[in-house]
Amino acid sequence: MQHIRNFCIIAHIDHGKSTLADRLLEKTQTISMRDLQAQTLDDMDLERERGITIKSHAIQMSFVKEEQPYVLNLIDTPGHVDFSYEVSRSIAACEGALLIVDASQGIQAQTISNLYLALEHDLEIIPILNKIDLPSAMPEEVKDQVVDLIGCDRDDILLASGKTGEGVDGILDAIVERIPHPVGDPHKPLQALIFDSVFDSYRGIHAYFKVLNGEIKKGDKVKFVNTGKQYDADEVGVLKLKKEPRSVIKTGDVGYIVSGIKSAREVKVGDTLTTVSNPCQEAIKGFENVKPMVFAGIYPVDTDEYEELREAMEKLQLNDASLTFEPESSAALGFGFRCGFLGMLHMEIIQERLEREFNMTVITTVPNVSYHAFLTKDPEEKVLINNPSDLPEATLLDHVEEPYIKAQIITKSDYVGAVMNLCIEKRGEMQNQVYLTTDRVELTFHIPLAEIVFDFYDRLKTISRGYASFDYYPIGYYTSSLVKLDLLLNGDQVDALSALIHKDKAYELGKKICLKLKELLPRQQFDIAVQAAIGTKVIARETVKALRKDVTAKCYGGDISRKRKLLEKQKEGKKRMRQVGNVEVPQNAFLAVLKLDD
């Protein structure tokens, strides 16, 4: 155990974590040059295409220092705010963290929030300035920022370049010297924390764990403490680039177990693994429960595929424990699931993974957040509203509370005005403004979560030319003046397009949605009335005109009444058709509601 080091890499998105991880793998010869590719640990197609890490990846490296072999367990983590849950899980399995800061961009919002996560778990922090080979690097200025943030000595900050490999030897030495070895008792009953799991269609579920006390051998009968299920450890091993079986995994080490588990419900990330013959007395305190921020409905395009979609969601949840879902039904879309996501990027990734990995074509409804409704008959009782269509009638409502977040935005001083305007437009209230350096400002706002769900992050990046970084956390529910905006097509409500929005913005948004749907709905043989309504009051209307055959084409001259008779006959037919016809809303119309500002 003295020669094991467990550490993770934390940083803001795009600061070069995965590239630096490649250099560490190369230096320790964990991976042959033939297998090496850019961002080796990012094995999902989506991660490669977008150049981001979505999933934490664990890998074991061997390193020899002064003729003493060491085992280094590295966990590479995502940097985007939407995947912060992955980071919290990785941190739970480590004793130290490499905090990577881009030498040309300095400290950004996610750097700070990931650092706080690591400090809460008492991890040893090794600060590293990456990308020092760039012409725009400002090592001295960024060192000052790091010293202010962590309170370390300037000499403790390592300089490195993931691209050229400069400084990697110093990082490996620092990991061995500065990160403490794991502590645990090899003679106690087995106690292991499950921090991740993946699904294998041939062998069932592989659970990744870190042994805190005791040891686990191949063939042991093991059980999960929270679910109470028992299994045989068919195979245990360590996580190299490919999984390598071992006969025993000892205290302090990170490994995986294959035990033929087929059902996704039986493995809970954060659970404790122990042996049946000599169980541990108490479960390990896992990491915090995930708090979904954005909710949306996911429905199969073909209603017969409902069960297949459920299986696909369960397998995805194994791989991504921050996804939550429960069944729901909609008048317009049939049976589907109400899913909770950590943010819009998370939602986009899940939708794309469902289509790629499970061949499911799905419809996603307009994302929204959860509200608390208080009724007039009992103002103390609160009702949780996940879907706008669940909101009680206005006559029964006393008031509605919506969730607020504390948003921290770090940007260059040139863009402060534009960022403030955006936040105020989104009903934000400014709390604080701090100059970190002469040209970097940290702005703190309280903003309703519903306002940042749609396009806030994209617009923030646009107005700040990519220089603003953004991080948020929930601060509670506050009373707000909200109304339910309904959309009617020929008088029928489309519940999937309902939205709860602030009273002041209802008219403007209603008009915009009607105009957008007028463009996108395919024309029918009859007129379609597109209306936006609050309760029984219609606030906006557009009409999608009918496709019409020219019935008067055969009338050459003659009395006008002949033409009128034919037109009246056509009008009657259209009226009859309208009573039996129904309007299909295409998938792009659901998505277009999100992109109204485009």
Side-chain angles (χ1 to χ4, degrees):
M1 227 174 21
Q2 305 291 328
H3 304 121
I4 296 175
R5 301 288 184 272
N6 298 322
F7 67 98
C8 59
I9 301 185
I10 54 177
H12 188 81
I13 188 168
D14 245 1
H15 279 202
K17 297 174 297 301
S18 301
T19 314
L20 202 61
D22 287 351
R23 298 291 84 76
L24 293 172
L25 295 178
E26 202 178 284
K27 210 71 172 174
T28 54
Q29 295 173 350
T30 307
I31 181 169
S32 65
M33 291 307 285
R34 191 179 61 191
D35 292 335
L36 190 72
Q37 48 181 341
Q39 282 105 27
T40 309
L41 294 180
D42 294 349
D43 50 10
M44 231 186 285
D45 292 346
L46 262 175
E47 292 180 314
R48 299 200 154 281
E49 279 170 29
R50 290 173 179 245
I52 57 174
T53 304
I54 293 168
K55 184 110 186 59
S56 300
H57 299 277
I59 191 163
Q60 190 180 91
M61 306 183 288
S62 305
F63 176 60
V64 179
K65 183 174 183 336
E66 295 167 5
E67 297 182 5
Q68 173 63 57
Y70 287 88
V71 171
L72 310 181
N73 290 312
L74 153 72
I75 303 179
D76 180 25
T77 61
H80 196 282
V81 63
D82 280 14
F83 304 113
S84 54
Y85 182 66
E86 289 280 337
V87 182
S88 79
R89 287 163 37 186
S90 306
I91 284 172
C94 295
E95 282 82 36
L98 305 184
L99 178 74
I100 294 183
V101 181
D102 186 327
S104 62
Q105 291 185 318
I107 284 172
Q108 294 191 292
Q110 204 56 32
T111 319
I112 296 173
S113 84
N114 286 343
L115 172 71
Y116 288 157
L117 270 178
L119 290 174
E120 275 171 31
H121 287 77
D122 291 333
L123 264 58
E124 177 65 37
I125 308 289
I126 300 179
I128 297 169
L129 291 197
N130 193 18
K131 305 191 185 180
I132 54 163
D133 57 312
L134 290 181
S136 57
M138 313 171 290
E140 293 311 312
E141 288 174 39
V142 179
K143 269 188 184 179
D144 292 341
Q145 294 174 22
V146 174
V147 170
D148 287 348
L149 182 66
I150 310 177
C152 61
D153 291 338
R154 285 179 78 88
D155 303 338
D156 290 346
I157 303 170
L158 306 177
L159 300 179
S161 165
K163 190 173 172 186
T164 62
E166 184 184 337
V168 173
D169 290 330
I171 294 173
L172 287 166
D173 289 341
I175 290 167
V176 170
E177 288 162 14
R178 284 154 65 173
I179 292 178
H181 61 78
V183 286
D185 188 341
H187 306 297
K188 275 190 176 177
L190 171 68
Q191 205 183 22
L193 172 74
I194 292 179
F195 67 89
D196 205 353
S197 56
V198 291
F199 184 79
D200 179 339
S201 48
Y202 299 108
R203 306 188 62 190
I205 289 156
H206 299 190
Y208 296 172
F209 59 84
K210 179 193 176 190
V211 183
L212 296 193
N213 293 308
E215 59 184 34
I216 181 170
K217 295 190 184 74
K218 183 181 176 177
D220 277 354
K221 202 163 183 59
V222 295
K223 76 166 183 178
F224 291 105
V225 174
N226 288 349
T227 57
K229 302 273 191 199
Q230 300 186 1
Y231 306 98
D232 293 317
D234 299 336
E235 184 184 302
V236 293
V238 294
L239 299 153
K240 297 275 186 162
L241 192 61
K242 304 270 188 293
K243 296 182 176 70
E244 286 188 11
R246 296 274 193 275
S247 55
V248 61
I249 303 285
K250 299 191 173 177
T251 312
D253 224 335
V254 173
Y256 72 93
I257 177 170
V258 180
S259 49
I261 308 167
K262 290 284 183 283
S263 165
R265 289 194 193 88
E266 294 174 23
V267 178
K268 292 270 185 295
V269 169
D271 204 344
T272 306
L273 188 67
T274 188
T275 51
V276 174
S277 55
N278 185 10
C280 59
Q281 295 306 307
E282 56 181 25
I284 304 163
K285 297 277 186 291
F287 13 85
E288 69 220 48
N289 276 337
V290 56
K291 295 189 210 71
M293 292 292 219
V294 175
F295 296 89
I298 288 188
Y299 295 85
V301 170
D302 184 351
T303 43
D304 299 343
E305 292 179 349
Y306 175 70
E307 280 305 320
E308 290 165 41
L309 180 61
R310 180 197 290 278
E311 278 179 31
M313 298 287 273
E314 282 177 357
K315 287 174 187 171
L316 259 185
Q317 196 176 31
L318 260 184
N319 219 316
D320 181 354
S322 52
L323 168 69
T324 57
F325 65 92
E326 58 190 42
E328 75 164 358
S329 62
S330 144
L333 300 166
F335 290 103
F337 295 97
R338 170 153 197 81
C339 305
F341 307 98
L342 297 182
M344 288 296 280
L345 177 68
H346 187 207
M347 176 178 138
E348 217 177 289
I349 296 290
I350 292 290
Q351 193 179 344
E352 209 158 317
R353 285 184 70 182
L354 278 171
E355 288 178 5
R356 287 187 185 204
E357 294 171 30
F358 302 98
N359 292 329
M360 298 294 310
T361 37
V362 292
I363 291 175
T364 311
T365 63
V366 181
N368 61 359
V369 297
S370 285
Y371 300 89
H372 289 162
F374 293 83
L375 306 178
T376 42
K377 63 178 181 189
D378 181 8
E380 292 301 308
E381 183 196 352
K382 69 178 174 193
V383 183
L384 187 68
I385 306 294
N386 280 331
N387 206 332
S389 52
D390 301 341
L391 191 73
E393 291 293 318
T395 49
L396 306 173
L397 263 185
D398 185 55
H399 65 279
V400 181
E401 289 184 349
E402 65 175 329
Y404 268 68
I405 56 155
K406 182 178 183 181
Q408 288 173 309
I409 299 167
I410 296 179
T411 184
K412 286 198 160 184
S413 49
D414 309 3
Y415 308 116
V416 169
V419 171
M420 279 185 184
N421 283 343
L422 173 65
C423 292
I424 290 163
E425 180 193 322
K426 297 284 187 186
R427 297 193 283 134
E429 293 169 13
M430 183 145 178
Q431 302 297 313
N432 201 355
Q433 177 178 357
V434 181
Y435 274 81
L436 302 172
T437 63
T438 48
D439 69 335
R440 287 167 68 74
V441 190
E442 182 183 24
L443 302 169
T444 310
F445 278 88
H446 286 177
I447 305 180
L449 178 61
E451 293 286 344
I452 68 157
V453 163
F454 288 152
D455 56 351
F456 181 81
Y457 193 64
D458 294 344
R459 286 186 59 195
L460 179 68
K461 285 288 183 198
T462 309
I463 59 176
S464 65
R465 299 190 188 167
Y467 276 108
S469 61
F470 169 65
D471 186 36
Y472 61 84
Y473 49 90
I475 52 170
Y477 284 75
Y478 294 96
T479 304
S480 198
S481 168
L482 298 170
V483 290
K484 180 181 163 205
L485 182 72
D486 287 322
L487 266 164
L488 311 172
L489 294 180
N490 279 350
D492 294 333
Q493 188 185 328
V494 184
D495 57 351
L497 286 174
S498 294
L500 271 177
I501 52 171
H502 197 264
K503 206 172 179 177
D504 299 346
K505 297 195 170 183
Y507 287 90
E508 186 190 335
L509 187 75
K511 185 73 182 160
K512 273 186 180 176
I513 293 179
C514 288
L515 283 166
K516 196 79 176 171
L517 285 176
K518 183 184 177 184
E519 290 169 29
L520 290 166
L521 286 176
R523 287 169 71 188
Q524 307 286 347
Q525 295 287 341
F526 50 89
D527 283 2
I528 305 171
V530 182
Q531 294 168 309
I534 296 173
T536 53
K537 184 181 176 189
V538 174
I539 57 168
R541 171 183 169 134
E542 294 292 333
T543 306
V544 180
K545 284 295 184 193
L547 288 167
R548 288 179 52 192
K549 184 178 171 189
D550 187 2
V551 287
T552 58
K554 61 187 179 192
C555 294
Y556 295 103
D559 191 57
I560 184 68
S561 58
R562 285 182 62 200
K563 289 187 179 180
R564 193 163 289 147
K565 185 178 164 188
L566 287 168
L567 289 169
E568 287 298 325
K569 193 174 166 189
Q570 184 186 35
K571 198 170 167 186
E572 282 299 313
K574 296 279 184 208
K575 196 171 173 184
R576 250 196 332 273
M577 206 181 282
R578 181 174 173 174
Q579 286 164 357
V580 294
N582 62 353
V583 184
E584 287 287 318
V585 182
Q587 163 73 357
N588 62 351
F590 285 111
L591 295 177
V593 177
L594 308 184
K595 301 193 168 72
L596 285 173
D597 285 324
D598 301 353

